[in-house]
Protein backbone atom coordinates (compact mmCIF):
# COMPACT_ATOMS: atom_id res chain seq x y z
CA UNK A 1 0.00 0.00 0.00
CA UNK A 2 1.29 3.49 -0.89
CA UNK A 3 2.07 6.02 1.82
CA UNK A 4 0.38 9.43 1.61
CA UNK A 5 3.65 11.02 0.39
CA UNK A 6 4.09 8.39 -2.30
CA UNK A 7 0.46 8.84 -3.34
CA UNK A 8 1.02 12.58 -3.69
CA UNK A 9 4.12 12.03 -5.82
CA UNK A 10 2.37 9.45 -8.00
CA UNK A 11 -0.32 12.01 -8.89
CA UNK A 12 2.10 13.65 -11.35
CA UNK A 13 2.98 10.45 -13.23
CA UNK A 14 1.56 10.09 -16.74
CA UNK A 15 -0.67 7.11 -15.90
CA UNK A 16 -2.18 9.15 -13.05
CA UNK A 17 -2.65 12.18 -15.32
CA UNK A 18 -4.49 10.03 -17.86
CA UNK A 19 -6.71 8.59 -15.10
CA UNK A 20 -7.37 12.02 -13.56
CA UNK A 21 -8.51 13.25 -16.98
CA UNK A 22 -10.77 10.21 -17.35
CA UNK A 23 -8.81 8.79 -20.28
CA UNK A 24 -7.80 5.51 -18.59
CA UNK A 25 -8.79 3.56 -15.44
CA UNK A 26 -7.20 4.56 -12.13
CA UNK A 27 -3.98 2.58 -11.51
CA UNK A 28 -4.51 -0.09 -8.86
CA UNK A 29 -2.00 1.29 -6.32
CA UNK A 30 -3.56 4.76 -6.45
CA UNK A 31 -7.09 3.39 -6.31
CA UNK A 32 -6.36 1.27 -3.23
CA UNK A 33 -4.84 4.19 -1.31
CA UNK A 34 -7.44 6.69 -2.46
CA UNK A 35 -10.26 4.48 -1.24
CA UNK A 36 -8.58 4.01 2.13
CA UNK A 37 -7.55 7.63 2.88
CA UNK A 38 -10.01 10.54 3.00
CA UNK A 39 -7.31 13.23 2.81
CA UNK A 40 -5.77 11.66 -0.30
CA UNK A 41 -9.21 11.27 -1.85
CA UNK A 42 -9.58 15.03 -1.55
CA UNK A 43 -6.06 15.48 -2.92
CA UNK A 44 -7.04 13.31 -5.91
CA UNK A 45 -10.15 15.39 -6.59
CA UNK A 46 -8.19 18.64 -6.37
CA UNK A 47 -5.46 17.32 -8.67
CA UNK A 48 -8.13 16.40 -11.24
CA UNK A 49 -9.79 19.81 -10.97
CA UNK A 50 -6.42 21.54 -11.43
CA UNK A 51 -5.60 19.47 -14.52
CA UNK A 52 -8.89 20.53 -16.07
CA UNK A 53 -8.97 24.13 -14.85
CA UNK A 54 -5.41 25.43 -14.89
CA UNK A 55 -4.68 25.18 -18.64
CA UNK A 56 -7.43 27.67 -19.49
CA UNK A 57 -6.18 30.06 -16.80
CA UNK A 58 -2.66 29.83 -18.17
CA UNK A 59 -3.46 29.98 -21.90
CA UNK A 60 -3.66 33.14 -24.00
CA UNK A 61 -4.08 33.66 -27.74
CA UNK A 62 -0.92 34.53 -29.65
CA UNK A 63 -0.85 38.01 -31.24
CA UNK A 64 -2.27 38.05 -34.77
CA UNK A 65 1.03 39.36 -36.19
CA UNK A 66 2.93 36.37 -34.76
CA UNK A 67 0.41 33.88 -36.15
CA UNK A 68 0.62 35.57 -39.56
CA UNK A 69 4.43 35.47 -39.63
CA UNK A 70 4.51 31.81 -38.63
CA UNK A 71 1.88 30.98 -41.24
CA UNK A 72 3.98 32.64 -43.94
CA UNK A 73 7.07 30.86 -42.59
CA UNK A 74 5.24 27.53 -42.76
CA UNK A 75 4.35 28.07 -46.41
CA UNK A 76 7.97 28.94 -47.20
CA UNK A 77 9.71 26.30 -45.13
CA UNK A 78 7.39 23.31 -45.41
CA UNK A 79 7.84 22.49 -49.08
CA UNK A 80 8.49 19.02 -50.43
CA UNK A 81 12.08 18.48 -51.53
CA UNK A 82 12.49 19.05 -55.28
CA UNK A 83 12.56 15.76 -57.16
CA UNK A 84 14.24 15.09 -60.44
CA UNK A 85 11.83 14.45 -63.29
CA UNK A 86 13.61 11.66 -65.20
CA UNK A 87 11.35 11.86 -68.25
CA UNK A 88 12.02 15.55 -68.67
CA UNK A 89 15.76 15.05 -68.03
CA UNK A 90 16.05 12.24 -70.59
CA UNK A 91 14.12 14.25 -73.16
CA UNK A 92 16.58 17.14 -72.77
CA UNK A 93 19.51 14.71 -72.91
CA UNK A 94 18.23 13.37 -76.24
CA UNK A 95 17.87 16.90 -77.60
CA UNK A 96 21.42 17.70 -76.41
CA UNK A 97 22.80 14.61 -78.10
CA UNK A 98 20.94 15.34 -81.35
CA UNK A 99 22.24 18.92 -81.41
CA UNK A 100 25.86 18.11 -80.52
CA UNK A 101 26.51 14.92 -82.53
CA UNK A 102 26.52 16.68 -85.97
CA UNK A 103 29.22 19.05 -84.67
CA UNK A 104 31.62 16.09 -85.21
CA UNK A 105 31.65 17.05 -88.88
CA UNK A 106 33.65 20.16 -87.95
CA UNK A 107 35.70 18.61 -85.13
CA UNK A 108 37.49 15.61 -86.65
CA UNK A 109 39.28 14.70 -83.38
CA UNK A 110 36.02 13.81 -81.60
CA UNK A 111 33.54 11.18 -82.66
CA UNK A 112 29.80 11.90 -82.95
CA UNK A 113 29.23 9.47 -80.03
CA UNK A 114 31.50 11.42 -77.66
CA UNK A 115 30.04 14.76 -78.70
CA UNK A 116 26.52 13.35 -78.42
CA UNK A 117 27.25 12.14 -74.87
CA UNK A 118 28.73 15.50 -73.89
CA UNK A 119 25.67 17.29 -75.28
CA UNK A 120 23.32 14.88 -73.50
CA UNK A 121 25.13 15.40 -70.18
CA UNK A 122 25.06 19.19 -70.45
CA UNK A 123 21.36 19.23 -71.38
CA UNK A 124 20.46 16.76 -68.61
CA UNK A 125 22.41 18.76 -66.00
CA UNK A 126 20.86 22.05 -67.13
CA UNK A 127 17.39 20.55 -66.96
CA UNK A 128 17.94 19.24 -63.40
CA UNK A 129 19.48 22.54 -62.23
CA UNK A 130 16.62 24.54 -63.71
CA UNK A 131 14.11 22.37 -61.83
CA UNK A 132 15.93 22.66 -58.48
CA UNK A 133 16.30 26.44 -58.87
CA UNK A 134 12.65 26.85 -59.81
CA UNK A 135 11.57 24.97 -56.65
CA UNK A 136 13.99 26.91 -54.48
CA UNK A 137 12.84 30.29 -55.76
CA UNK A 138 9.11 29.51 -55.60
CA UNK B 1 -9.95 -5.08 -23.33
CA UNK B 2 -9.34 -1.88 -25.31
CA UNK B 3 -10.50 1.26 -23.51
CA UNK B 4 -12.49 3.80 -25.58
CA UNK B 5 -10.13 6.52 -24.34
CA UNK B 6 -7.14 4.57 -25.69
CA UNK B 7 -8.87 4.22 -29.06
CA UNK B 8 -9.56 7.96 -29.09
CA UNK B 9 -5.90 8.66 -28.30
CA UNK B 10 -4.78 6.36 -31.12
CA UNK B 11 -7.14 8.23 -33.47
CA UNK B 12 -5.67 11.54 -32.32
CA UNK B 13 -2.14 10.31 -32.99
CA UNK B 14 -3.11 9.02 -36.43
CA UNK B 15 -4.73 12.38 -37.19
CA UNK B 16 -1.60 14.22 -36.03
CA UNK B 17 0.69 12.02 -38.14
CA UNK B 18 -1.57 12.70 -41.11
CA UNK B 19 -1.45 16.44 -40.40
CA UNK B 20 2.36 16.34 -40.32
CA UNK B 21 2.51 14.30 -43.53
CA UNK B 22 0.24 16.80 -45.33
CA UNK B 23 2.21 19.77 -43.97
CA UNK B 24 5.44 18.27 -45.30
CA UNK B 25 3.79 17.61 -48.67
CA UNK B 26 3.16 21.35 -48.98
CA UNK B 27 -0.61 21.23 -48.28
CA UNK B 28 -1.48 24.86 -47.45
CA UNK B 29 -4.68 24.01 -45.55
CA UNK B 30 -2.80 21.56 -43.30
CA UNK B 31 -0.07 24.12 -42.67
CA UNK B 32 -2.65 26.74 -41.68
CA UNK B 33 -4.35 24.20 -39.41
CA UNK B 34 -1.02 23.32 -37.78
CA UNK B 35 -0.12 26.97 -37.17
CA UNK B 36 -3.61 27.88 -35.95
CA UNK B 37 -3.70 24.94 -33.58
CA UNK B 38 -0.32 25.27 -31.92
CA UNK B 39 0.86 28.90 -32.08
CA UNK B 40 -1.16 30.06 -29.07
CA UNK B 41 0.00 27.08 -27.03
CA UNK B 42 3.69 27.74 -27.74
CA UNK B 43 3.30 31.49 -27.30
CA UNK B 44 1.38 31.09 -24.00
CA UNK B 45 4.10 28.78 -22.74
CA UNK B 46 6.75 31.40 -23.56
CA UNK B 47 4.76 34.19 -21.91
CA UNK B 48 3.73 32.29 -18.81
CA UNK B 49 7.28 31.09 -18.34
CA UNK B 50 8.15 34.77 -17.96
CA UNK B 51 9.41 35.93 -21.36
CA UNK B 52 8.46 39.55 -22.09
CA UNK B 53 6.14 40.29 -25.02
CA UNK B 54 8.66 41.00 -27.79
CA UNK B 55 10.97 38.21 -26.69
CA UNK B 56 8.06 35.77 -26.54
CA UNK B 57 7.17 36.67 -30.14
CA UNK B 58 10.74 36.08 -31.33
CA UNK B 59 11.27 32.88 -29.34
CA UNK B 60 7.88 31.54 -30.48
CA UNK B 61 8.87 32.05 -34.13
CA UNK B 62 12.29 30.46 -33.60
CA UNK B 63 10.60 27.44 -32.05
CA UNK B 64 8.36 27.03 -35.08
CA UNK B 65 11.29 27.37 -37.52
CA UNK B 66 13.05 24.66 -35.54
CA UNK B 67 9.90 22.54 -35.41
CA UNK B 68 9.38 22.84 -39.18
CA UNK B 69 12.95 21.61 -39.69
CA UNK B 70 12.43 18.70 -37.30
CA UNK B 71 8.94 17.69 -38.53
CA UNK B 72 10.28 15.01 -40.92
CA UNK B 73 11.70 13.24 -37.83
CA UNK B 74 8.35 13.34 -35.96
CA UNK B 75 7.18 9.73 -35.61
CA UNK B 76 4.12 10.27 -33.42
CA UNK B 77 5.52 8.62 -30.27
CA UNK B 78 4.23 11.57 -28.24
CA UNK B 79 1.41 14.00 -28.94
CA UNK B 80 2.32 16.80 -31.29
CA UNK B 81 1.50 19.38 -28.60
CA UNK B 82 3.79 17.62 -26.10
CA UNK B 83 6.58 17.41 -28.68
CA UNK B 84 6.26 21.14 -29.45
CA UNK B 85 6.06 22.06 -25.76
CA UNK B 86 9.20 20.07 -25.02
CA UNK B 87 10.98 21.98 -27.81
CA UNK B 88 9.62 25.20 -26.29
CA UNK B 89 10.79 24.33 -22.80
CA UNK B 90 14.30 23.55 -24.12
CA UNK B 91 14.37 26.86 -26.00
CA UNK B 92 13.22 28.78 -22.91
CA UNK B 93 15.99 27.14 -20.87
CA UNK B 94 18.53 28.14 -23.56
CA UNK B 95 17.09 31.64 -23.62
CA UNK B 96 17.51 32.02 -19.86
CA UNK B 97 21.11 30.81 -20.07
CA UNK B 98 21.91 33.10 -22.98
CA UNK B 99 24.18 36.04 -22.08
CA UNK B 100 22.29 38.11 -24.65
CA UNK B 101 19.12 37.93 -22.53
CA UNK B 102 18.23 41.48 -21.63
CA UNK B 103 15.10 41.23 -19.49
CA UNK B 104 14.46 39.79 -16.06
CA UNK B 105 11.70 37.20 -16.46
CA UNK B 106 9.23 38.53 -13.95
CA UNK B 107 5.99 40.39 -14.14
CA UNK B 108 5.60 39.89 -17.85
CA UNK B 109 2.26 38.05 -17.96
CA UNK B 110 0.47 40.87 -16.16
CA UNK B 111 1.79 43.65 -18.39
CA UNK B 112 -0.90 46.09 -19.53
CA UNK B 113 -2.25 45.21 -22.94
CA UNK B 114 -1.68 41.50 -22.49
CA UNK B 115 -4.14 39.87 -24.90
CA UNK B 116 -6.97 37.86 -23.45
CA UNK B 117 -8.99 35.21 -25.32
CA UNK B 118 -11.63 36.67 -27.58
CA UNK B 119 -12.70 33.69 -29.67
CA UNK B 120 -14.60 31.70 -27.00
CA UNK B 121 -18.39 32.07 -26.53
CA UNK B 122 -19.12 35.03 -24.29
CA UNK B 123 -20.08 34.02 -20.74
CA UNK B 124 -22.28 36.12 -18.45
CA UNK B 125 -20.71 39.35 -17.15
CA UNK B 126 -20.45 37.86 -13.64
CA UNK B 127 -18.75 34.73 -14.95
CA UNK B 128 -16.47 36.87 -17.12
CA UNK B 129 -15.47 39.00 -14.15
CA UNK B 130 -14.82 35.92 -12.03
CA UNK B 131 -12.69 34.31 -14.76
CA UNK B 132 -10.75 37.54 -15.23
CA UNK B 133 -10.11 37.69 -11.49
CA UNK B 134 -8.97 34.05 -11.45
CA UNK B 135 -6.59 34.66 -14.34
CA UNK B 136 -5.26 37.80 -12.78
CA UNK B 137 -4.56 35.99 -9.53
CA UNK B 138 -2.92 33.04 -11.28
CA UNK B 139 -0.72 35.40 -13.30
CA UNK B 140 0.26 37.33 -10.20
CA UNK B 141 1.03 34.10 -8.35
CA UNK B 142 3.17 32.95 -11.29
CA UNK B 143 4.97 36.29 -11.35
CA UNK B 144 5.88 35.77 -7.73
CA UNK B 145 7.33 32.31 -8.32
CA UNK B 146 11.01 31.68 -8.80
CA UNK B 147 12.54 29.60 -11.56
CA UNK B 148 12.44 26.70 -12.19
CA UNK B 149 9.15 26.39 -10.28
CA UNK B 150 7.28 28.57 -12.76
CA UNK B 151 8.55 26.79 -15.88
CA UNK B 152 7.83 23.41 -14.28
CA UNK B 153 4.24 24.38 -13.50
CA UNK B 154 3.57 25.93 -16.90
CA UNK B 155 5.16 23.05 -18.83
CA UNK B 156 3.22 20.42 -16.91
CA UNK B 157 -0.22 22.06 -16.91
CA UNK B 158 -0.21 24.12 -20.09
CA UNK B 159 2.15 22.06 -22.23
CA UNK B 160 1.19 18.64 -20.82
CA UNK B 161 4.88 17.79 -20.80
CA UNK B 162 5.54 14.64 -18.70
CA UNK B 163 7.48 15.00 -15.45
CA UNK B 164 10.32 12.82 -16.81
CA UNK B 165 10.74 15.11 -19.84
CA UNK B 166 10.65 18.27 -17.69
CA UNK B 167 13.25 16.74 -15.39
CA UNK B 168 15.48 15.83 -18.35
CA UNK B 169 15.16 19.26 -19.97
CA UNK B 170 15.71 21.28 -16.81
CA UNK B 171 18.31 18.82 -15.49
CA UNK B 172 16.45 18.28 -12.24
CA UNK B 173 15.62 15.05 -10.37
CA UNK B 174 12.05 13.90 -11.01
CA UNK B 175 11.32 14.16 -7.28
CA UNK B 176 12.27 17.85 -7.34
CA UNK B 177 9.98 18.47 -10.31
CA UNK B 178 7.11 16.82 -8.43
CA UNK B 179 7.84 18.90 -5.34
CA UNK B 180 7.75 22.09 -7.46
CA UNK B 181 4.46 20.94 -8.95
CA UNK B 182 2.91 20.20 -5.60
CA UNK B 183 4.03 23.48 -4.01
CA UNK B 184 3.06 25.46 -7.10
CA UNK B 185 -0.40 23.91 -7.17
CA UNK B 186 -0.88 24.66 -3.48
CA UNK B 187 0.23 28.26 -4.05
CA UNK B 188 -2.21 28.73 -6.94
CA UNK B 189 -5.03 27.06 -4.99
CA UNK B 190 -4.31 29.37 -2.07
CA UNK B 191 -4.73 32.38 -4.33
CA UNK B 192 -8.02 31.14 -5.72
CA UNK B 193 -9.67 29.60 -2.67
CA UNK B 194 -11.97 32.51 -1.82
CA UNK B 195 -13.37 32.59 -5.39
CA UNK B 196 -16.19 30.13 -6.06
Amino acid sequence: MLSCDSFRDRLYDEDARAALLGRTPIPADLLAHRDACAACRQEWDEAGADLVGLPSLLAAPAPVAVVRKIRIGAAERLQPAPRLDWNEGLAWAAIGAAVCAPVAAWVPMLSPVVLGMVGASIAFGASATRRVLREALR
Amino acid sequence: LVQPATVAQADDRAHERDLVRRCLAGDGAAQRDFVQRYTSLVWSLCRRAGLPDGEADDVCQEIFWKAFGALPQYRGESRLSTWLCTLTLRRIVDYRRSPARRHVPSGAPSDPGFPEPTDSPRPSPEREALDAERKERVHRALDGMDEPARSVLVAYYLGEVPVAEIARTLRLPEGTVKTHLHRGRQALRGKLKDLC
Side-chain angles (χ1 to χ4, degrees):
Chain A
M1 176 82 109
L2 290 173
S3 66
C4 290
D5 282 347
S6 309
F7 178 88
R8 196 197 69 193
D9 278 356
R10 282 278 283 118
L11 288 179
Y12 303 103
D13 289 336
E14 285 308 290
D15 58 345
R17 187 201 310 246
L20 283 162
L21 290 170
R23 293 173 184 161
T24 56
I26 303 172
D29 58 336
L30 288 170
L31 185 62
H33 184 88
R34 193 193 70 160
D35 288 349
C37 175
C40 288
R41 198 157 45 245
Q42 188 185 346
E43 185 76 24
W44 174 270
D45 292 342
E46 288 178 0
D50 288 342
L51 272 178
V52 172
L54 278 178
S56 64
L57 294 176
L58 294 168
V64 175
V66 174
V67 177
R68 194 169 43 233
K69 272 187 197 166
I70 294 173
R71 198 180 288 162
I72 293 167
E76 288 169 354
R77 290 161 192 252
L78 292 174
Q79 289 300 328
R83 274 182 292 180
L84 194 60
D85 183 338
W86 283 97
N87 288 335
E88 187 187 303
L90 290 173
W92 278 105
I95 292 168
V99 168
C100 288
V103 178
W106 291 280
V107 188
M109 303 293 287
L110 294 171
S111 73
V113 173
V114 171
L115 279 166
M117 285 176 70
V118 168
S121 303
I122 292 170
F124 184 87
S127 149
T129 307
R130 186 183 67 95
R131 192 173 180 84
V132 169
L133 285 175
R134 196 177 56 196
E135 292 286 342
L137 295 173
R138 198 169 64 173
Chain B
L1 191 68
V2 180
Q3 297 291 325
T6 314
V7 174
Q9 275 178 290
D11 284 351
D12 283 350
R13 294 280 169 81
H15 178 75
E16 288 181 341
R17 276 197 301 272
D18 183 55
L19 180 67
V20 168
R21 186 188 55 73
R22 288 191 297 127
C23 281
L24 290 172
D27 180 337
Q31 290 169 359
R32 277 192 297 278
D33 188 16
F34 182 94
V35 172
Q36 203 64 42
R37 210 184 272 203
Y38 298 111
T39 305
S40 287
L41 176 64
V42 170
W43 191 82
S44 299
L45 205 54
C46 293
R47 283 298 264 126
R48 297 300 177 235
L51 271 59
D53 247 348
E55 304 287 339
D57 295 356
D58 293 345
V59 171
C60 181
Q61 285 174 56
E62 280 176 33
I63 289 160
F64 272 93
W65 305 158
K66 193 170 181 183
F68 293 154
L71 266 187
Q73 280 84 51
Y74 176 74
R75 295 283 171 266
E77 287 94 354
S78 61
R79 290 174 58 195
L80 207 41
S81 57
T82 307
W83 180 73
L84 272 170
C85 289
T86 304
L87 279 181
T88 306
L89 189 57
R90 283 186 197 144
R91 183 64 192 88
I92 290 170
V93 170
D94 288 347
Y95 170 83
R96 288 189 198 292
R97 288 181 185 148
S98 159
R101 184 168 65 88
R102 294 182 299 278
H103 302 278
V104 178
S106 65
S110 48
D111 287 348
F114 188 77
E116 294 298 334
T118 52
D119 53 350
S120 53
R122 284 190 80 82
S124 67
E126 294 80 13
R127 184 82 224 166
E128 217 169 32
L130 191 64
D131 285 347
E133 177 63 22
R134 279 172 191 271
K135 280 195 170 194
E136 181 58 34
R137 289 193 190 187
V138 166
H139 299 174
R140 269 206 306 265
L142 278 174
D143 291 349
M145 279 183 199
D146 291 328
E147 285 300 331
R150 172 158 60 181
S151 291
V152 166
L153 205 67
V154 172
Y156 183 83
Y157 283 104
L158 186 59
E160 292 192 31
V161 182
V163 165
E165 192 57 54
I166 297 173
R168 202 166 22 249
T169 307
L170 298 179
R171 295 178 195 165
L172 294 171
E174 285 190 26
T176 307
V177 171
K178 288 179 176 180
T179 304
H180 282 310
L181 282 172
H182 188 69
R183 287 190 190 148
R185 257 187 65 219
Q186 299 307 317
L188 295 186
R189 282 203 151 259
K191 300 286 180 191
L192 298 173
K193 69 181 173 197
D194 60 317
L195 294 177
C196 51

